[in-house]
Amino acid sequence: MSKLGRRKFLIYGSAALGTSLFLKACTDPATEGEDTEIVEAGGEEASAGGGDTIKVGILHSLSGTMAISETTVVDAEKLAIKEINEAGGVLGKQIEFVEEDGASDWPTFAEKATKLIEEDKVAVVFGCWTSASRKAVLPVFEAADHMLWYPVQYEGQECSKNIFYTGAAPNQQIEPAVDWLMENKGQQFFLVGSDYVFPRTANNVIKEQVAAKGGEVVGEDYLPLGNTEVTPIITKIQEALPDGGVIFNTLNGDSNVAFFKQMQGAGLGPDLYPVMSVSVAEEEVRQIGPEFLVGHYAAWNYFQTVDTPENEKWVADFKAEYGEDRVTNDPMEAAYIMVYLWKQAAEQAGDAYDLAAVREAAYGQTFNAPEGTVTMNPNHHISKTVRIGEVREDGLFEIVSETDGPIDPEPWNQYVPDTKGLGCDWSDPEKGEKYELEEA
C-alpha cells in the first residue's frame, strides 16, 4: 500500500485531453484562465501523512453554464467539512480544503485535478458534476492511482477503482422513472438532452428499456451544453406527439431554463406533455421559476420533502448556514454524505493518505443520511432509495412514489446487450471492474 508522498505522478497531457469527449462548454470570460482557490482550516501545509491537517480537494464548476448546479454542491461539501472539523476532525486532524474551479470546461477539470494531486498533494478529491468532466479527469486519477468521490447521478457503464460514486446508477433513477412513466403517463416517449456522454448513454438505456417493455421512442434530440435555442426541439415534440406524450429530459445547466419556459409558452403543459427530468432538482426549480415547472416530474433518491429526522436536521442546519431562502437537493445531499463516508473510511484505515487502505475500508460503510440509510458497495456505488417527485407551487417536490427501501446499484446496465450479465466488485481482485454475474 504505497502512500501519497512516495508516489510519482504522471503528467496528464494530450492523451487525457483526447478523452474529454470533444465537448467544451461556455466559460465565464471574467474568470477564464484564473485559478479560483480558497484554502481554509489551518496554516501549516499538509504533506502525505504529515502536518496538523488533512488536505482535500474540491473541484466543481464555479463559473460557466454548470455553475447553476455545482455551486450548491460545493456549499454542501463545505458544510460537511465544517461539521466534521467542529466535531474533532479526522484522525484528530482538521480538514483543510483546496477549492478549484472547473469552469464548465472539461480540459480545465483535468488540469485542476492534476494540480490538486501533484502540487497540493490532497488525500482525496470531491468533485465533478457532468459525466464529461468526470470522464476528463478519470485518466488523471487512474494514472496517479488516486481517489475521486463523485456525487451526481449518472449514466452508469463505468466502474473505476479510483472513483466512488454516491449519486444514482441508472437502475436507481432512470430505469424506475421509465417504469413509473409507462405505468402512469403513457407509452410514447420523446427524449431531449444535452449533447454529451450522460444524456446520450442514458437515452440508449431508455430506448432499450422502453422497447423491452413494449413502448415507443418517437423522437430524440440534443442541444450543445449551454445552448438555449430550444425552439426547434419544441417543434419536433409537437410534430412527433401531436396528441401528447412523455418527455424524458436529460438537459443540464442553463438549457433547462429556456426549455421549460418555451414548453409553457408553446402550450405544452404537464397534463398532456409531462416532463420527467433527472438533472432538475430543487435548486434548478428555484432558479428557473416554479411557475414554469409545476406539475412536471423528477426522479431522484432525495428530495427536501423526505420525512426523516436526519433530513429535518440537515435542512435546518443548511439553512442556518446559508440562509432561509436556500433549498437542498439530491446532488447536494449526495455530496454532503460522501464527505462523511470518506471520513469513516479514512478513520477505519488509520491514515487518510494511505489510499489503498481507505479504499478497502470504504466497502460496507453505512451512514444514516437525510435520504435514509445508505451503504457503500464493493462496486464503489451506494445502495439508495428511489423516489419520484412532482413539482409543487412552492418549488418543492411532492413525493408520489418511492421504493420500500434501498436499491442495490448496478453500474453495468442490464438492458444494454453489451453489458447485460456483467457486474463489478473491487473487493475481489478476480472480479474487479467487470465479471460475469451468476445466472439466477
Side-chain angles (χ1 to χ4, degrees):
M1 298 181 183
S2 60
K3 291 190 179 182
L4 196 61
R6 299 197 296 268
R7 188 177 289 126
K8 293 183 179 179
F9 295 113
L10 302 177
I11 296 176
Y12 178 67
S14 59
L17 295 179
T19 66
S20 65
L21 309 176
F22 59 79
L23 180 61
K24 184 172 182 179
C26 302
T27 58
D28 185 344
T31 60
E32 188 172 8
E34 296 181 3
D35 286 350
T36 305
E37 182 175 337
I38 304 170
V39 181
E40 291 190 0
E44 181 178 348
E45 181 179 354
S47 60
D52 297 328
T53 63
I54 295 172
K55 191 178 289 189
V56 306
I58 293 177
L59 177 58
H60 289 286
S61 294
L62 306 178
S63 59
T65 189
M66 289 308 302
I68 185 177
S69 298
E70 293 192 63
T71 52
T72 62
V73 170
V74 172
D75 290 341
E77 290 164 3
K78 289 180 180 178
L79 177 59
I81 290 170
K82 179 182 178 181
E83 291 175 350
I84 291 168
N85 281 341
E86 289 177 348
V90 178
L91 298 168
K93 298 182 179 183
Q94 294 285 284
I95 301 173
E96 175 185 351
F97 67 80
V98 182
E99 181 177 344
E100 293 289 348
D101 181 9
S104 305
D105 178 75
W106 321 138
T108 298
F109 267 91
E111 294 165 8
K112 299 297 188 181
T114 302
K115 173 188 176 293
L116 288 168
I117 294 170
E118 295 187 354
E119 297 180 23
D120 299 304
K121 293 181 169 50
V122 298
V124 65
V125 176
F126 304 113
C128 300
W129 177 296
T130 68
S131 289
S133 63
R134 190 192 69 255
K135 292 287 189 182
V137 304
L138 180 58
V140 178
F141 286 92
E142 291 188 337
D145 196 20
H146 211 277
M147 184 181 296
L148 170 72
W149 287 66
Y150 174 69
V152 185
Q153 49 77 22
Y154 82 121
E155 71 282 357
Q157 308 303 72
E158 179 181 292
C159 193
S160 173
K161 183 185 78 169
N162 300 97
I163 300 179
F164 284 93
Y165 311 76
T166 59
N171 74 302
Q172 298 170 310
Q173 185 198 34
I174 292 170
E175 292 173 28
V178 170
D179 287 340
W180 186 85
L181 287 167
M182 295 187 76
E183 292 172 6
N184 295 278
K185 296 297 176 180
Q187 303 293 306
Q188 290 188 312
F189 285 62
F190 193 102
L191 312 180
V192 55
S194 298
D195 195 4
Y196 71 100
V197 63
F198 163 62
R200 286 193 174 273
T201 307
N203 285 342
N204 286 338
V205 170
I206 292 168
K207 286 184 286 187
E208 294 286 352
Q209 182 181 357
V210 170
K213 293 180 174 290
E216 180 184 11
V217 174
V218 300
E220 179 179 3
D221 208 355
Y222 298 89
L223 279 177
L225 196 62
N227 190 298
T228 58
E229 297 296 324
V230 300
T231 300
I233 290 181
I234 303 296
T235 300
K236 290 178 183 179
I237 291 173
Q238 291 172 312
E239 292 173 349
L241 295 169
D243 300 318
V246 173
I247 315 301
F248 205 103
N249 172 34
T250 51
L251 290 170
N252 268 268
D254 296 337
S255 300
N256 275 305
V257 179
F259 177 70
F260 280 101
K261 288 183 177 180
Q262 291 194 37
M263 281 283 290
Q264 186 181 93
L268 306 185
D271 52 339
L272 293 179
Y273 295 90
V275 177
M276 176 67 75
S277 298
V278 289
S279 293
V280 172
E282 287 86 343
E283 180 62 25
E284 288 76 18
V285 173
R286 184 174 77 95
Q287 297 200 36
I288 294 168
E291 65 272 21
F292 298 105
L293 293 105
V294 171
H296 291 295
Y297 300 90
W300 294 102
N301 308 108
Y302 167 86
F303 292 105
Q304 184 174 311
T305 48
V306 167
D307 185 14
T308 66
E310 292 81 7
N311 186 45
E312 183 178 355
K313 181 180 186 304
W314 184 57
V315 172
D317 290 347
F318 187 87
K319 287 178 177 289
E321 182 73 15
Y322 296 111
E324 281 297 320
D325 62 328
R326 294 292 301 276
V327 293
T328 58
N329 65 28
D330 184 287
M332 293 162 62
E333 191 255 7
Y336 175 81
I337 67 176
M338 75 182 178
V339 180
Y340 275 97
L341 288 167
W342 167 80
K343 167 191 177 288
Q344 292 175 188
E347 290 181 332
Q348 183 172 317
D351 184 347
Y353 289 92
D354 190 337
L355 304 187
V358 174
R359 185 182 299 122
E360 184 176 351
Y363 307 144
Q365 292 293 340
T366 63
F367 185 70
N368 291 326
E371 68 180 82
T373 302
V374 300
T375 304
M376 179 59 69
N377 287 241
N379 61 19
H380 286 206
H381 296 67
I382 62 177
S383 300
K384 301 169 74 72
T385 300
V386 181
R387 297 177 170 96
I388 307 292
E390 180 179 354
V391 181
R392 307 187 315 203
E393 291 184 358
D394 62 358
L396 300 181
F397 286 84
E398 189 71 29
I399 298 171
V400 297
S401 177
E402 62 183 304
T403 57
D404 292 335
I407 303 298
D408 290 336
E410 295 176 355
W412 301 115
N413 190 263
Q414 301 305 300
Y415 283 103
V416 176
D418 289 345
T419 54
K420 184 177 176 62
L422 294 180
C424 171
D425 184 350
W426 286 109
S427 68
D428 185 343
E430 295 185 1
K431 293 180 177 179
E433 182 178 14
K434 287 182 180 179
Y435 73 96
E436 295 285 342
L437 296 167
E438 295 181 5
E439 293 186 7

